Amino acid sequence: MFLTISTTGSPERPATDLGYLLHKHPGKTQAFSTSHGTAHVFYPEATAERCTAALLLEVDPVALVRRGQGKGRGGAPDVALAQYVNDRPYAASSLLAVALSGVFRSALKGRCAARPDLPEQARPLRIEVPALPARGGAELVHRLFDPLGWDLVQVEAVPLDEQFPEWGDSRYVRLVLEGELRLADALRQLYVLLPVLDDAKHYWIAPDEVDKLLRAGDGWLAAHPENGLISSRYLARHKRLTQNALERLELVRLAEADGSEVEELDDAVDDDAATADTTERRVPLAVQRREAILAALRAAGAARVLDLGCGQGQLVQTLLADVSFTEIVGVDVSVRALSTAAKRLRLERMGERQSARVQLLQGSLAYTDKRLTGYDAAVLSEVIEHLDLPRLPALEYAVFGAARPRTVLVTTPNVEYNVRWETLPAGHVRHRDHRFEWTREEFRTWARDVAGRHGYGVGFVPVGDDDPEVGPPTQMAVFTAVTDNETPKEGEAA
């Protein structure tokens, strides 16, 4: 297996800086032992104007067979040529990707202790792979590399036999990439896409492969139009691992679109809750809140219900226990929360009839989502206070303007009641992630404005002990969509 990396330079910015970036001296030939053979690094040319580094991987077929016994290791699909005679010693594949990560580990991470400024600099690069398996042909190669910023993606099919052109082309191609990129970015792309094009991995796929994929795909994979195909092939079509990867990539994409950090979006589960048993401590107010929501949904005659910002799935679990709710969809931006909800609901062990009633989706409530239209009711239980106030109009439009369920229930803390919590210091909100907590009048003003803008009537329900001085601990607004010939009404909901 063979690959070359070339760059050009000048006396002020010599091309031989490539040696610093790769951590391999241009004046030396070096050999590195791998689990399947020996990797050699050498420089066919090394001048200030042009420098080329070559990686040659000599695969030991005997070691390949011995380490590849069993399903999911070396047994697919090239072993059809027999155990000791196959194409892997000659064509780039996942073996070459592993050699890249081992030999150029620091370069992949973008580290250079001797010249810390170099890894962040984009350089003119030319990468050549003379023999690359491409299951999907030249068209797939272009689909994978064209969106990544290369100026040139040149793919030439390799004929089965040059002496017999009528036999047609093989599944191998010669790949040339040219463009101005950071070397670390180029290497990470190759590390992921070489085995994707080969569509066969030589080693066992474990859950930590998802972490490897996301690390190598940082900065480019989340926005790649083929990230689903890339994840599936890289993870050897393991459905659970692929789904995990895609959920985490979607979280990255949402964070980038939102201008936030992933950790800020993925905070619906406290650190201690993430590692604790998924059984919820039954807090009386939480129970009362869910009972109030169920009563309002039943009164509205809702059968298909959205739980927007479903968190760890407590309300979804409660709704599932009532057969009058025929479809329940939990939506949350947090992968951790959805994972906890799935465990709570025991989705993997749920019967077919029950599992047909429930679905968990990842999504941001600040964006319109066609998947959320057409439902009888939507619940925003203890959600709005987790948003910055400038983001509320976006949520308002996504729910009331775009999804537009017939009934919308919104619960939120009543800040006036906080004086009744003995353990809550004065001036503090109830949860560290609450961006605000409203008085009863502030909540009603907001709810009336939303109802007026989007054609809903609104009523208000106290949840918990309704203190005569400070009101209830939780306040709930019940929005009901009105038709053109109806007049929106406001009042205390039953």
Side-chain angles (χ1 to χ4, degrees):
M1 302 181 188
F2 190 66
L3 174 148
T4 60
I5 304 169
S6 302
T7 187
T8 56
S10 63
E12 296 77 22
R13 193 186 181 196
T16 49
D17 283 347
L18 183 62
Y20 284 104
L21 289 167
L22 294 175
H23 293 254
K24 304 294 180 286
H25 195 285
K28 297 180 180 180
T29 297
Q30 297 175 268
F32 304 87
S33 178
T34 74
S35 57
H36 294 90
T38 305
H40 303 270
V41 178
F42 57 95
Y43 289 76
E45 55 184 341
T47 67
E49 291 74 29
R50 183 175 177 83
C51 185
T52 298
L55 174 63
L56 172 65
L57 179 61
E58 289 186 299
V59 176
D60 180 354
V62 175
L64 179 63
V65 171
R66 288 175 176 171
R67 294 182 62 88
Q69 297 298 323
K71 182 179 179 181
R73 299 190 176 224
D78 298 320
V79 295
L81 295 173
Q83 286 186 321
Y84 291 87
V85 181
N86 63 51
D87 61 352
R88 285 194 179 277
Y90 314 107
S93 70
S94 58
L95 298 176
L96 184 58
V98 172
L100 274 174
S101 68
V103 175
F104 299 140
R105 184 179 304 276
S106 296
L108 271 162
K109 295 178 179 179
R111 296 175 182 172
C112 181
R115 297 279 301 278
D117 58 311
L118 286 182
E120 293 303 314
Q121 298 176 8
R123 302 188 65 87
L125 297 175
R126 178 183 173 92
I127 295 176
E128 296 186 49
V129 186
L132 172 64
R135 297 183 186 275
E139 186 267 339
L140 178 59
V141 178
H142 280 288
R143 281 164 52 195
L144 296 182
F145 283 99
D146 284 350
L148 296 177
W150 295 96
D151 298 326
L152 171 69
V153 179
Q154 181 179 318
V155 188
E156 298 178 7
V158 177
L160 279 171
D161 193 317
E162 294 180 354
Q163 301 299 318
F164 300 94
E166 65 273 16
W167 289 2
D169 294 330
S170 69
R171 67 179 182 89
Y172 303 96
V173 299
R174 174 177 176 266
L175 174 65
V176 177
L177 303 170
E178 289 186 357
E180 191 157 325
L181 281 79
R182 297 190 315 161
L183 180 62
D185 294 336
L187 292 176
R188 289 171 187 158
Q189 294 171 15
L190 291 170
Y191 174 75
V192 172
L193 297 181
L194 289 180
V196 167
L197 286 166
D198 186 23
D199 199 17
K201 278 202 165 185
H202 69 281
Y203 55 84
W204 186 259
I205 303 297
D208 64 351
E209 289 296 307
V210 176
D211 296 327
K212 294 179 184 178
L213 172 63
L214 297 184
R215 282 197 299 269
D218 184 32
W220 64 272
L221 183 54
H224 198 293
E226 298 291 344
N227 60 20
L229 180 143
I230 292 169
S231 300
S232 177
R233 283 196 173 193
Y234 182 89
L235 297 167
R237 293 184 170 82
H238 284 238
K239 290 185 179 180
R240 187 180 302 175
L241 297 182
T242 301
Q243 182 64 29
N244 183 10
L246 292 177
E247 288 174 349
R248 292 169 64 180
L249 286 170
E250 176 64 9
L251 190 63
V252 171
R253 188 191 67 78
L254 290 171
E256 291 175 349
D258 200 49
S260 305
E261 296 296 327
V262 171
E263 292 76 11
E264 293 180 20
L265 293 179
D266 203 15
D267 65 354
V269 181
D270 293 335
D271 291 337
D272 55 349
T275 56
D277 189 280
T278 57
T279 302
E280 179 195 23
R281 182 186 302 172
R282 295 188 64 81
V283 180
L285 179 58
V287 175
Q288 294 179 62
R289 186 184 302 122
R290 289 196 289 273
E291 289 177 347
I293 290 170
L294 257 66
L297 291 173
R298 289 168 182 153
R304 304 174 66 240
V305 179
L306 297 167
D307 182 7
L308 304 178
C310 65
Q312 301 174 58
Q314 294 95 328
L315 178 59
V316 173
Q317 186 178 41
T318 302
L319 293 171
L320 267 175
D322 188 329
V323 294
S324 65
F325 301 111
T326 58
E327 184 177 353
I328 303 132
V329 178
V331 182
D332 207 285
V333 73
S334 169
V335 176
R336 296 168 62 199
L338 291 173
S339 176
T340 302
K343 292 177 182 177
R344 174 188 299 279
L345 300 172
R346 300 179 180 177
L347 287 182
E348 292 186 354
R349 290 177 282 176
M350 188 177 288
E352 183 177 348
R353 180 178 298 180
Q354 190 80 328
S355 65
R357 297 174 56 216
V358 64
Q359 187 178 9
L360 299 179
L361 301 176
Q362 184 186 24
S364 171
L365 303 183
Y367 301 95
T368 59
D369 191 334
K370 293 180 179 178
R371 298 174 298 176
L372 307 184
T373 59
Y375 285 84
D376 299 329
V379 179
L380 291 155
S381 180
E382 310 301 285
V383 170
I384 61 172
E385 64 273 10
H386 291 268
L387 276 71
D388 292 317
L389 283 170
R391 304 302 304 277
L392 272 183
L395 177 143
E396 172 193 329
Y397 177 76
V399 175
F400 295 90
R404 196 167 177 78
R406 188 172 67 245
T407 300
V408 181
L409 308 181
V410 180
T411 75
T412 192
N414 167 24
V415 71
E416 298 171 76
Y417 192 89
N418 286 359
V419 297
R420 297 291 189 256
W421 300 113
E422 296 180 0
T423 58
L424 186 65
H428 284 239
V429 293
R430 299 185 195 176
H431 189 280
R432 57 187 170 86
D433 190 49
H434 285 188
R435 303 305 201 262
F436 63 89
E437 288 178 357
W438 275 334
T439 65
R440 287 168 289 174
E441 185 56 36
E442 288 171 330
F443 179 55
R444 291 185 178 214
T445 298
W446 173 81
R448 293 185 192 112
D449 290 344
V450 170
R453 281 192 292 269
H454 296 284
Y456 281 78
V458 62
F460 300 93
V461 177
V463 180
D465 297 331
D466 195 358
D467 188 288
E469 295 182 3
V470 296
T474 295
Q475 44 193 339
M476 180 167 71
V478 180
F479 297 85
T480 305
V482 296
T483 60
D484 293 338
N485 58 356
E486 289 181 328
T487 302
K489 296 179 180 179
E490 179 187 326
E492 296 297 321

